[in-house]
PDB file of all heavy atoms in Angstrom:
ATOM      1  N   THR A 135     -31.171  10.294   1.804  1.00 93.00           N
ATOM      2  CA  THR A 135     -32.265  11.008   2.594  1.00 93.00           C
ATOM      3  C   THR A 135     -31.900  12.337   3.155  1.00 93.00           C
ATOM      4  O   THR A 135     -32.672  12.936   4.033  1.00 93.00           O
ATOM      5  CB  THR A 135     -32.723  10.074   3.705  1.00 93.00           C
ATOM      6  OG1 THR A 135     -31.484   9.861   4.638  1.00 93.00           O
ATOM      7  CG2 THR A 135     -33.263   8.787   3.192  1.00 93.00           C
ATOM      8  N   ASN A 136     -30.830  12.945   2.745  1.00 92.00           N
ATOM      9  CA  ASN A 136     -30.353  14.248   3.236  1.00 92.00           C
ATOM     10  C   ASN A 136     -30.149  14.253   4.766  1.00 92.00           C
ATOM     11  O   ASN A 136     -30.653  15.212   5.472  1.00 92.00           O
ATOM     12  CB  ASN A 136     -31.160  15.356   2.742  1.00 92.00           C
ATOM     13  CG  ASN A 136     -30.882  15.742   1.332  1.00 92.00           C
ATOM     14  OD1 ASN A 136     -30.370  14.916   0.533  1.00 92.00           O
ATOM     15  ND2 ASN A 136     -31.286  17.001   0.974  1.00 92.00           N
ATOM     16  N   THR A 137     -29.686  13.202   5.302  1.00 94.00           N
ATOM     17  CA  THR A 137     -29.426  13.092   6.868  1.00 94.00           C
ATOM     18  C   THR A 137     -27.940  13.447   7.155  1.00 94.00           C
ATOM     19  O   THR A 137     -27.085  12.825   6.594  1.00 94.00           O
ATOM     20  CB  THR A 137     -29.730  11.643   7.332  1.00 94.00           C
ATOM     21  OG1 THR A 137     -31.146  11.356   6.950  1.00 94.00           O
ATOM     22  CG2 THR A 137     -29.540  11.548   8.785  1.00 94.00           C
ATOM     23  N   GLY A 138     -27.912  14.464   7.829  1.00 93.00           N
ATOM     24  CA  GLY A 138     -26.547  14.833   8.247  1.00 93.00           C
ATOM     25  C   GLY A 138     -25.786  13.846   9.121  1.00 93.00           C
ATOM     26  O   GLY A 138     -26.287  13.201   9.831  1.00 93.00           O
ATOM     27  N   ILE A 169     -26.844   4.099  10.615  1.00 95.00           N
ATOM     28  CA  ILE A 169     -28.046   4.806  10.212  1.00 95.00           C
ATOM     29  C   ILE A 169     -28.883   5.175  11.380  1.00 95.00           C
ATOM     30  O   ILE A 169     -29.611   6.269  11.558  1.00 95.00           O
ATOM     31  CB  ILE A 169     -28.888   4.012   9.242  1.00 95.00           C
ATOM     32  CG1 ILE A 169     -28.091   3.798   7.854  1.00 95.00           C
ATOM     33  CG2 ILE A 169     -30.342   4.563   8.946  1.00 95.00           C
ATOM     34  CD1 ILE A 169     -28.739   2.932   6.896  1.00 95.00           C
ATOM     35  N   SER A 170     -29.046   4.320  12.385  1.00 95.00           N
ATOM     36  CA  SER A 170     -29.825   4.495  13.567  1.00 95.00           C
ATOM     37  C   SER A 170     -29.206   5.621  14.392  1.00 95.00           C
ATOM     38  O   SER A 170     -29.926   6.359  15.016  1.00 95.00           O
ATOM     39  CB  SER A 170     -29.928   3.224  14.370  1.00 95.00           C
ATOM     40  OG  SER A 170     -28.608   2.751  14.855  1.00 95.00           O
ATOM     41  N   ILE A 171     -27.893   5.647  14.476  1.00 95.00           N
ATOM     42  CA  ILE A 171     -27.202   6.829  15.240  1.00 95.00           C
ATOM     43  C   ILE A 171     -27.511   8.117  14.764  1.00 95.00           C
ATOM     44  O   ILE A 171     -27.920   9.011  15.536  1.00 95.00           O
ATOM     45  CB  ILE A 171     -25.653   6.598  15.300  1.00 95.00           C
ATOM     46  CG1 ILE A 171     -25.336   5.293  16.246  1.00 95.00           C
ATOM     47  CG2 ILE A 171     -24.887   7.800  15.800  1.00 95.00           C
ATOM     48  CD1 ILE A 171     -23.910   5.005  16.254  1.00 95.00           C
ATOM     49  N   PHE A 172     -27.528   8.218  13.420  1.00 95.00           N
ATOM     50  CA  PHE A 172     -27.736   9.549  12.777  1.00 95.00           C
ATOM     51  C   PHE A 172     -29.179   9.894  12.400  1.00 95.00           C
ATOM     52  O   PHE A 172     -29.410  10.860  11.761  1.00 95.00           O
ATOM     53  CB  PHE A 172     -26.860   9.788  11.523  1.00 95.00           C
ATOM     54  CG  PHE A 172     -25.359   9.768  11.960  1.00 95.00           C
ATOM     55  CD1 PHE A 172     -24.502   8.768  11.565  1.00 95.00           C
ATOM     56  CD2 PHE A 172     -24.932  10.951  12.546  1.00 95.00           C
ATOM     57  CE1 PHE A 172     -23.105   8.858  11.951  1.00 95.00           C
ATOM     58  CE2 PHE A 172     -23.557  11.047  12.877  1.00 95.00           C
ATOM     59  CZ  PHE A 172     -22.674   9.943  12.632  1.00 95.00           C
ATOM     60  N   ASN A 173     -29.990   8.974  12.724  1.00 92.00           N
ATOM     61  CA  ASN A 173     -31.433   9.286  12.492  1.00 92.00           C
ATOM     62  C   ASN A 173     -31.894  10.408  13.399  1.00 92.00           C
ATOM     63  O   ASN A 173     -31.480  10.549  14.552  1.00 92.00           O
ATOM     64  CB  ASN A 173     -32.391   8.038  13.128  1.00 92.00           C
ATOM     65  CG  ASN A 173     -33.787   8.267  12.764  1.00 92.00           C
ATOM     66  OD1 ASN A 173     -34.422   9.107  13.353  1.00 92.00           O
ATOM     67  ND2 ASN A 173     -34.386   7.439  12.009  1.00 92.00           N
ATOM     68  N   LYS A 174     -32.599  11.507  12.830  1.00 88.00           N
ATOM     69  CA  LYS A 174     -32.823  12.758  13.492  1.00 88.00           C
ATOM     70  C   LYS A 174     -33.589  12.628  14.717  1.00 88.00           C
ATOM     71  O   LYS A 174     -33.617  13.487  15.576  1.00 88.00           O
ATOM     72  CB  LYS A 174     -33.488  13.692  12.533  1.00 88.00           C
ATOM     73  CG  LYS A 174     -34.988  13.210  12.078  1.00 88.00           C
ATOM     74  CD  LYS A 174     -35.585  14.170  11.195  1.00 88.00           C
ATOM     75  CE  LYS A 174     -34.969  14.268   9.758  1.00 88.00           C
ATOM     76  NZ  LYS A 174     -35.660  15.167   8.895  1.00 88.00           N
ATOM     77  N   TYR A 175     -34.336  11.460  14.991  1.00 89.00           N
ATOM     78  CA  TYR A 175     -34.924  11.198  16.131  1.00 89.00           C
ATOM     79  C   TYR A 175     -34.173  10.351  17.259  1.00 89.00           C
ATOM     80  O   TYR A 175     -34.572  10.170  18.286  1.00 89.00           O
ATOM     81  CB  TYR A 175     -36.270  10.454  15.900  1.00 89.00           C
ATOM     82  CG  TYR A 175     -37.193  11.154  14.903  1.00 89.00           C
ATOM     83  CD1 TYR A 175     -37.414  10.674  13.590  1.00 89.00           C
ATOM     84  CD2 TYR A 175     -37.868  12.339  15.430  1.00 89.00           C
ATOM     85  CE1 TYR A 175     -38.255  11.419  12.741  1.00 89.00           C
ATOM     86  CE2 TYR A 175     -38.720  13.072  14.412  1.00 89.00           C
ATOM     87  CZ  TYR A 175     -38.811  12.536  13.115  1.00 89.00           C
ATOM     88  OH  TYR A 175     -39.666  13.240  12.310  1.00 89.00           O
ATOM     89  N   SER A 176     -32.916  10.106  16.876  1.00 90.00           N
ATOM     90  CA  SER A 176     -32.096   9.331  17.805  1.00 90.00           C
ATOM     91  C   SER A 176     -31.394  10.326  18.726  1.00 90.00           C
ATOM     92  O   SER A 176     -30.933  11.400  18.411  1.00 90.00           O
ATOM     93  CB  SER A 176     -31.011   8.548  17.066  1.00 90.00           C
ATOM     94  OG  SER A 176     -30.025   8.125  17.919  1.00 90.00           O
ATOM     95  N   PRO A 177     -31.287  10.006  20.051  1.00 91.00           N
ATOM     96  CA  PRO A 177     -30.654  10.927  20.997  1.00 91.00           C
ATOM     97  C   PRO A 177     -29.120  10.983  20.708  1.00 91.00           C
ATOM     98  O   PRO A 177     -28.473  11.761  21.370  1.00 91.00           O
ATOM     99  CB  PRO A 177     -30.899  10.233  22.365  1.00 91.00           C
ATOM    100  CG  PRO A 177     -31.264   8.800  22.026  1.00 91.00           C
ATOM    101  CD  PRO A 177     -31.835   8.777  20.607  1.00 91.00           C
ATOM    102  N   HIS A 179     -27.668  11.350  17.643  1.00 89.00           N
ATOM    103  CA  HIS A 179     -27.473  11.851  16.335  1.00 89.00           C
ATOM    104  C   HIS A 179     -26.682  13.241  16.297  1.00 89.00           C
ATOM    105  O   HIS A 179     -26.070  13.547  15.367  1.00 89.00           O
ATOM    106  CB  HIS A 179     -28.728  12.129  15.480  1.00 89.00           C
ATOM    107  CG  HIS A 179     -29.425  13.335  15.872  1.00 89.00           C
ATOM    108  ND1 HIS A 179     -30.265  13.503  16.878  1.00 89.00           N
ATOM    109  CD2 HIS A 179     -29.475  14.582  15.096  1.00 89.00           C
ATOM    110  CE1 HIS A 179     -30.722  14.761  16.953  1.00 89.00           C
ATOM    111  NE2 HIS A 179     -30.237  15.423  15.848  1.00 89.00           N
ATOM    112  N   ASP A 180     -26.774  14.006  17.405  1.00 89.00           N
ATOM    113  CA  ASP A 180     -26.240  15.292  17.523  1.00 89.00           C
ATOM    114  C   ASP A 180     -24.770  15.158  17.829  1.00 89.00           C
ATOM    115  O   ASP A 180     -24.441  15.099  19.152  1.00 89.00           O
ATOM    116  CB  ASP A 180     -26.949  16.176  18.438  1.00 89.00           C
ATOM    117  CG  ASP A 180     -26.653  17.552  18.366  1.00 89.00           C
ATOM    118  OD1 ASP A 180     -25.849  17.952  17.397  1.00 89.00           O
ATOM    119  OD2 ASP A 180     -26.904  18.340  19.292  1.00 89.00           O
ATOM    120  N   GLU A 231     -26.534  17.950   5.448  1.00 91.00           N
ATOM    121  CA  GLU A 231     -27.978  17.749   5.799  1.00 91.00           C
ATOM    122  C   GLU A 231     -28.750  18.645   4.744  1.00 91.00           C
ATOM    123  O   GLU A 231     -29.832  18.192   4.406  1.00 91.00           O
ATOM    124  CB  GLU A 231     -28.257  18.237   7.160  1.00 91.00           C
ATOM    125  CG  GLU A 231     -29.646  18.061   7.557  1.00 91.00           C
ATOM    126  CD  GLU A 231     -29.974  18.382   9.044  1.00 91.00           C
ATOM    127  OE1 GLU A 231     -28.931  18.731   9.775  1.00 91.00           O
ATOM    128  OE2 GLU A 231     -31.072  18.307   9.416  1.00 91.00           O
TER     129      GLU A 231
END
Side-chain angles (χ1 to χ4, degrees):
T135 56
N136 281 25
T137 302
I169 292 175
S170 63
I171 288 174
F172 290 111
N173 184 296
K174 65 179 68 176
Y175 300 108
S176 168
H179 83 281
D180 190 15
E231 189 173 353

